[in-house]
């Protein structure tokens, strides 16, 4: 059974080494032994796909590392506004009334007295550093130039009055503090040429400049201290420096 292929293979090998036959010569050998080898044929068509096999078992390989995070996506469109707050809850029960505190008037009075003492001490310190003192009086410049009526209002705000010297020493102290023409707390608005202080009392000390008071143009009812320490009557509507007088 296997001899035929063997003989066929042997014949093909023998034919590849045979001498070429001259044209017209009579062939004396078998066809298989004397013919030239044939060319290779074209490859055959692919066969039909076989039936799909069953799913295999999952592999046993190690799980890979997690990849880097992706880029942030664009912002989404704003959502629909939520509903307004829900209904108001019911009012809770009223709490118990607290105990009434004890009112200690003596303790409050003591605290007020302590604050007043501190205030007086602070006021003394301020006056000592920025004012002139004569006895129990302090003279302090406000640095403002106002009319006489506004000058009274400014000093009153500080529980003081417009400076009114009662003697030469106080006059000199006001002059030193002012260093400019300043109002004094004197006026003859009630009776001409009778100058009274702001409490309505007559003054015993005066230091008028030569020829004063002269009530020029019948409109000079207030008094100022000149830079030389002398006094002069002037209209109350004019603006001059305000010096306030404090009593300890």
């Amino acid at each position: 059974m296997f001899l035929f292929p063997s003989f066929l293979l042997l014949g093909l090998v023998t034919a590849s080494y045979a001498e070429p036959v001259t044209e017209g010569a009579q062939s004396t050998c078998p066809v298989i032994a004397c013919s030239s080898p044939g060319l290779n044929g074209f490859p055959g068509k692919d066969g039909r796909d076989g039936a799909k096999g069953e799913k295999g078992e999952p592999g046993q390989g190690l799980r890979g590392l997690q990849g880097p995070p992706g880029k942030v996506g664009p912002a989404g469109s704003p959502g629909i506004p939520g509903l307004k707050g829900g209904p108001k809850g019911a009012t809770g029960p009223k709490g118990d009334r607290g105990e009434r505190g004890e009112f200690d008037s003596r303790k409050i009075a003591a605290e007020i007295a302590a604050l007043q003492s501190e205030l007086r001490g602070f006021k003394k310190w301020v006056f000592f550093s920025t004012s002139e003192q004569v006895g129990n009086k302090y003279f302090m410049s406000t640095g403002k130039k106002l009319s006489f009526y506004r000058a009274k209002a400014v000093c009153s705000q500080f529980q003081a009055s417009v400076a009114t010297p009662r003697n030469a020493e106080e006059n000199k102290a006001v002059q030193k503090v002012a260093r400019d023409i300043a109002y004094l707390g004197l006026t003859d608005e009630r009776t001409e040429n009778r100058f009274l202080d702001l409490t309505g009392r007559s003054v015993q000390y005066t230091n008028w400049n030569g020829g004063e008071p002269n009530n020029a143009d019948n409109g000079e009812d207030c008094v100022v201290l000149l830079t030389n320490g002398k006094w002069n009557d002037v209209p109350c509507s004019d603006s001059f420096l305000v010096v306030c007088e404090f009593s300890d």
Side-chain angles (χ1 to χ4, degrees), residues 181-239:
I181 302 176
Y183 269 119
L184 297 181
L186 300 170
T187 178
D188 67 347
E189 289 179 316
R190 292 183 182 180
T191 305
E192 183 59 37
N193 209 32
R194 184 187 177 193
F195 288 89
L196 307 176
D197 64 16
L198 299 182
T199 64
R201 295 180 299 180
S202 299
V203 292
Q204 304 299 321
Y205 170 78
T206 60
N207 193 30
W208 294 106
N209 198 23
E212 302 295 342
N214 61 4
N215 192 33
D217 298 328
N218 296 320
E220 295 184 338
D221 295 327
C222 289
V223 182
V224 293
L225 177 72
L226 302 176
T227 54
N228 61 0
K230 297 295 183 175
W231 298 3
N232 185 30
D233 58 341
V234 295
C236 298
S237 58
D238 290 352
S239 295

Side-chain angles (χ1 to χ4, degrees), residues 43-171:
K45 296 182 179 179
D46 294 338
R48 296 181 178 179
D49 294 338
K52 186 176 181 181
E54 297 180 358
K55 185 176 181 180
E57 297 293 334
Q60 301 296 324
L62 297 177
R63 185 176 180 181
L65 299 176
Q66 182 177 355
K71 295 181 179 180
V72 179
S77 57
I80 300 175
L83 299 177
K84 199 172 181 180
K88 185 177 180 181
T91 304
K94 187 175 182 180
D96 297 334
R97 185 174 182 179
E99 295 181 1
R100 185 176 181 180
E102 295 182 1
F103 182 77
D104 191 345
S105 59
R106 290 177 297 179
K107 183 177 180 181
I108 294 177
E111 291 178 353
I112 293 175
L115 290 174
Q116 289 176 338
S117 178
E118 291 181 6
L119 181 61
R120 284 194 296 270
F122 178 74
K123 186 169 68 173
K124 286 182 179 180
W125 177 82
V126 172
F127 291 161
F128 179 77
S129 59
T130 61
S131 65
E132 288 293 323
Q133 178 182 5
V134 178
N136 64 344
K137 286 185 180 181
Y138 297 88
F139 300 99
M140 184 175 181
S141 171
T142 64
K144 297 181 178 181
K145 291 186 176 182
L146 304 170
S147 68
F148 179 72
Y149 306 107
R150 294 188 63 189
K152 290 196 298 181
V154 168
C155 292
S156 179
Q157 289 179 356
F158 298 98
Q159 298 181 348
S161 61
V162 181
T164 308
R166 306 290 180 176
N167 51 54
E169 186 179 6
E170 292 182 1
N171 194 77

